[in-house]
Each structure stands twice: as structure tokens, then as C-alpha cells.
Amino acid sequence: MPLRPPIRSFRDIERKLRRDTPVVTLFSGGLDSAYLLLWLRDNGFTDVHAVSIDLAESETSDQKTEIAGMLGAKLHILDCQEEFARDFVAPAISAQAVYLDLHPVSSTLSRPLIAQRAAELADRLGAHAVLHTANRSQNTLRRLNGALHLLNYPGLHGSPYDLEPVDRDDKQAALAQAGVELLKGRSVSGDSNLWCREFESGILDDPERHRVPDELFRWSAVRPGVAPSEISVGIESGIPVTVDGRPMELVELIAELNGRVGAYGIGRYSGLEHLDNGEKVLELREMPAAWILLRSYRHIEAACLDAELLREKQHLEQVWVREALEGRWFGDLRRAVQTFMDTCAQRTTGTVTWELRAGGADTRSIVAPHPLYLRDRERWEEQSIAAESSAHALLDPATA
């Protein structure tokens, strides 16, 4: 079935959607998504369903429930934390998903899951559209639209902000007039989940002059007087499974590492990420668990996998990142590369112990059950020479 052109403006919504049929909107609790609910209410849409995918973001369920209720929408909160960690974060760890060696990807991972769950809800409700609120200066626009396209979602979908952006002050004023003042005073746009807390726009618009207020950082705020300590991360067949030998599910493990590693001020990233037409925008984020998990994984890979295999894997890692980042998570190429990553992951088992200190960390132990590393170079050299001499003797007894 050919897919319809996406919704790109508020005029598209007026022309293409019936006001008495269900419509699903993605709802983060932020300014853009709240304003869309207000606009739909004020323009006569009577069956609006706001869907929030719970990935352990900063906004609370109570906040979202209050805002959606005030704006006449029915709120659906879907807890997808375990699925996000298992099916999206874990593959990103095995793929070493770091954008151009600048920062680990994050919203790249959450958007396909959000799109998938929203499309499923729309199908159950008999809704004819899934709306979101990404604008053209956000990579979320092509990631959500791309995911819905590859999922073969048959209804209308898209963001009215694509062609009709609304000034931030105008949105705040309209919401305040409607009695919604929970969003005042925000100086940046944020996106958060259990893997990442990200900041952009607002006071961070200019790459040549930017600073994140210290109070925005939560995970990576240095605890006063924090002393150096050791921490061990265990990985089994490509999946992080233990901290200091204690088995943990991945959601719990990530939360544990965000707290313990972040206490040393580790895990802050900044970098320019390209938009659809090649222009760049600044993004800053804190990801302490990602910092230590990705590095631990690489050390264990190096202990377990052949060097040539690792070289090819490093090339394919950026193919994986490109396909996911461009909104093709459900595309054939990303899936094919994932098969390669999964094959490598089957042999990636071991433990890395780190010494954490304010601002950094150093490895203290890298252990793998079937390693390729040497533990005694001199002994290896002696054994290697002896083996080579024996082989020569067998081939030419006259030299024995």
C-alpha cells in the first residue's frame, strides 16, 4: 500500500483530519507537544489521545497527566524501559554506536521504539493519524517519519511544525492563557531517557558560545569529597550483566552506573550533529553509564576477537550508526549489519575493572575466559621459539 504524504503543517491537519475521529499525538510533556494538544482542542478535535513512552525520562507521569488533562486529551503512558534497554540500547552497545567519535547516540535509539508503539496504539484505537512535534532543526523529524514509513504505517503522520514553526514565546503565552504554566522558565530544550540526558537549543543555539548551567546536570554532577574507588563491569555474550560481580537486569545496571560513575563527573559529551540537508547543530549530553559500558565492551572485544575482525567491525559500526541516525532503524541494511554485530557479540565475554577518580578513570583489570592476550610475554617468546625450532627439526632432521 503506498503511504500518504506526511503531515507538515497545521493547515495539513485542518484539511486532512476529521475532528470527530481519534488522533494520536506523541507527548513528552514539553512545550511543543503541549502546544499541539492546545491547538487540537481549540480547533475542535474531540478525541485526542496523547501517548507517552516511558523510557525513564525527566518529566514525571504526574506532570504529564496534569498537562494532558488540562488540555482535553486522554493520556496513555506505556512503560517500555525494559524493551528499550534490551532491544535498542544493548544492540547499540555491541555496535559501539558513537556518532563520528563525538558522542554515543541516544534519541536515535528511542525514536523507532516510540514510533512503533504509537503506530500500534493508533491501530487499536482506530485512529487515522499519528502526530508528533519535531521541527526541521531536529533530527527527530526524519527519525520518526522514517520509522513510521518503514513500519508501513497506513495512516497520516508527521509534524505540523515542519512547515509552520511557532515561536517559543507565543507557545508559552498561549499555554499560560489556557492555565498551563508548568513549562515556564525553561532555557533549553531537553530530551532524556535511561541512557542519556540531552540538551540543545535555547541558550545552547550558538556553537561558538555555549555553556550548560551546572544545575541542569544530574547524573554527572561531581559529589563533593568523592574518593577514588574501583568498579567492575561484567559482560556475557555481548550483554552487560554484572556490576562488581552482582547480576543485574540492564535497566537496573544502567541506573547503577549512571549514579556511581557520574559521581566523578564522568560522561559529559558535546558535539555537532548534522541535519537532513547537512547543516550542523550543537548537542550536549550526560551519559556516564554509556561512557563506561562502551569502553568496557571495547576492551573485552579486544581481548576476545581477532584484530582483522575488529577492524572490519569498526567500519561497519559507522554504517550501523548512519542507518539508525538517518531514520532507517527498521531498514534492511541496519538489520543486516546488526547480524554481524550479534555474531561478534557471541564471543564477547569478560570483565573490566576500573579505578574511578574525579574527572576520569583507568583500567585495573581486563579478564576474559578465552582471551587472545598474553599474560607473560617472555614465557610466550620462549615457547614460541621452542615450537618453531621443533617444527624445523621435523621438516629437516639434518639440522636437529
Side-chain angles (χ1 to χ4, degrees):
M1 178 189 301
L3 298 178
R4 308 180 202 179
I7 295 287
R8 303 187 67 193
S9 66
F10 290 97
R11 283 171 291 180
D12 281 346
I13 297 176
E14 290 181 303
R15 289 196 304 260
K16 297 178 180 180
L17 298 185
R18 290 176 50 186
R19 285 160 171 75
D20 59 348
T21 57
V23 58
V24 168
T25 73
L26 300 182
F27 184 62
S28 67
L31 183 63
D32 292 338
S33 58
Y35 180 81
L36 177 57
L37 293 186
L38 174 64
W39 188 93
L40 291 169
R41 187 195 72 178
D42 289 350
N43 283 270
F45 288 84
T46 59
D47 196 3
V48 177
H49 296 262
V51 59
S52 171
I53 310 301
D54 182 3
L55 305 176
E57 63 276 15
S58 298
E59 288 80 6
T60 67
S61 297
D62 289 344
Q63 288 175 315
K64 294 176 183 177
T65 300
E66 182 178 356
I67 296 170
M70 293 175 72
L71 297 175
K74 181 178 180 180
L75 180 62
H76 303 258
I77 298 179
L78 308 180
D79 186 349
C80 297
Q81 294 184 45
E82 291 186 6
E83 182 181 7
F84 178 57
R86 180 189 66 241
D87 297 340
F88 295 84
V89 175
I93 295 171
S94 67
Q96 290 287 297
V98 177
Y99 175 72
L100 299 182
D101 202 32
L102 291 173
H103 56 73
V105 300
S106 172
S107 59
T108 292
L109 309 178
S110 64
R111 295 330 186 225
L113 175 57
I114 291 170
Q116 188 174 41
R117 293 292 161 258
E120 291 171 354
L121 177 63
D123 182 62
R124 291 197 300 271
L125 295 171
H128 298 289
V130 171
L131 301 178
H132 60 86
T133 55
N135 57 55
R136 58 176 45 206
S137 69
Q138 295 173 323
N139 287 311
T140 290
L141 184 68
R142 68 184 186 277
R143 291 171 192 163
L144 288 173
N145 287 348
L148 289 164
H149 173 77
L150 289 170
L151 287 167
N152 294 314
Y153 173 66
L156 292 164
H157 68 273
S159 168
Y161 294 125
D162 184 1
L163 293 180
E164 284 191 69
V166 179
D167 182 79
R168 185 181 185 86
D169 291 338
D170 291 342
K171 286 180 285 195
Q172 286 182 328
L175 286 164
Q177 188 173 0
V180 179
E181 299 194 34
L182 302 176
L183 309 171
K184 293 180 66 176
R186 293 192 178 183
S187 58
V188 300
S189 177
D191 184 76
S192 62
N193 55 55
L194 59 88
W195 188 233
C196 175
R197 297 186 70 248
E198 180 182 323
F199 318 102
E200 62 180 7
S201 302
I203 62 173
L204 302 177
D205 261 348
D206 186 359
E208 296 186 6
R209 188 178 182 84
H210 59 273
R211 180 183 296 275
V212 180
D214 288 340
E215 61 269 19
L216 288 181
F217 290 113
R218 297 180 186 176
W219 295 339
S220 61
V222 180
R223 294 179 192 165
V226 64
S229 65
E230 287 194 351
I231 189 169
S232 295
V233 175
I235 291 172
E236 186 173 329
S237 298
I239 305 296
V241 291
T242 63
V243 175
D244 293 337
R246 291 180 291 120
M248 292 184 183
E249 295 297 323
L250 190 52
V251 171
E252 179 189 9
L253 185 146
I254 290 170
E256 173 87 2
L257 294 175
N258 275 330
R260 290 180 59 184
V261 178
Y264 293 86
I266 297 171
R268 295 185 184 183
Y269 297 87
S270 63
L272 296 169
E273 188 169 307
H274 73 273
L275 301 176
D276 200 17
N277 294 320
E279 295 85 355
K280 309 292 181 73
V281 291
L282 179 68
E283 296 182 355
L284 291 90
R285 60 194 71 198
E286 55 177 353
M287 306 177 70
W291 186 95
I292 197 167
L293 284 172
L294 289 167
R295 282 163 175 76
S296 297
Y297 196 97
R298 183 66 92 199
H299 282 302
I300 296 171
E301 277 189 325
C304 300
L305 303 182
D306 179 78
E308 289 303 317
L309 179 59
L310 277 174
R311 290 189 182 99
E312 290 305 310
K313 182 176 183 291
Q314 287 181 335
H315 162 70
L316 289 173
E317 286 166 1
Q318 284 302 305
V319 175
W320 189 105
V321 169
R322 182 194 67 209
E323 291 303 292
L325 185 139
E326 298 298 339
R328 297 190 287 267
W329 177 273
F330 298 111
D332 290 341
L333 180 53
R334 206 282 309 175
R335 292 179 189 270
V337 175
Q338 187 66 59
T339 300
F340 177 91
M341 301 299 169
D342 292 344
T343 300
C344 295
Q346 291 171 9
R347 293 169 50 196
T348 304
T349 296
T351 302
V352 180
T353 299
W354 298 82
E355 182 175 338
L356 303 175
R357 51 182 167 72
D362 301 295
T363 59
R364 289 292 175 258
S365 173
I366 302 169
V367 179
H370 305 290
L372 298 178
Y373 56 71
L374 304 175
R375 298 192 67 191
D376 187 334
R377 295 190 188 194
E378 290 186 1
R379 184 182 178 190
W380 174 81
E381 288 181 355
E382 292 171 359
Q383 292 174 337
S384 177
I385 292 170
E388 187 173 333
S389 298
S390 298
H392 282 306
L394 289 174
L395 292 173
D396 187 1
T399 64

